[in-house]
Amino acid sequence: FGLRKTEGIDLAALEREFGIDFRKQYAAILRKYEPAYLEFSGTRLKLKTSAVPVSNTILSEFLNDF
């Protein structure tokens, strides 16, 4: 999924590859964890350092909703 990488994930590339609107599809999860744990930077989404202890929980929610 790439969210754990320092550079995060490129949402534009992900949306092209899977044909989805990421912010729309995962709006509930984004509302739940942003801004405390998730950070948007241009077209990239990253986990903040504060997310390390809960990163498995966050990632599992994205994957369960996929």
Side-chain angles (χ1 to χ4, degrees):
F1 191 58
L3 197 53
R4 288 188 181 169
K5 295 181 179 180
T6 306
E7 66 273 7
I9 56 172
D10 182 347
L11 296 179
L14 187 122
E15 289 175 341
R16 277 191 310 276
E17 184 175 345
F18 293 100
I20 62 168
D21 180 334
F22 186 89
R23 290 179 191 241
K24 184 176 179 181
Q25 179 154 345
Y26 296 105
I29 298 169
L30 294 172
R31 278 193 304 275
K32 185 175 180 179
Y33 294 110
E34 183 194 10
Y37 299 118
L38 298 172
E39 172 181 28
F40 286 96
S41 177
T43 63
R44 302 194 80 78
L45 176 64
K46 307 175 193 181
L47 285 174
K48 289 184 169 183
T49 306
S50 59
V52 171
V54 294
S55 62
N56 286 339
T57 300
I58 295 170
L59 293 173
S60 70
E61 287 195 40
F62 280 113
L63 294 174
N64 287 336
D65 209 36
F66 185 69

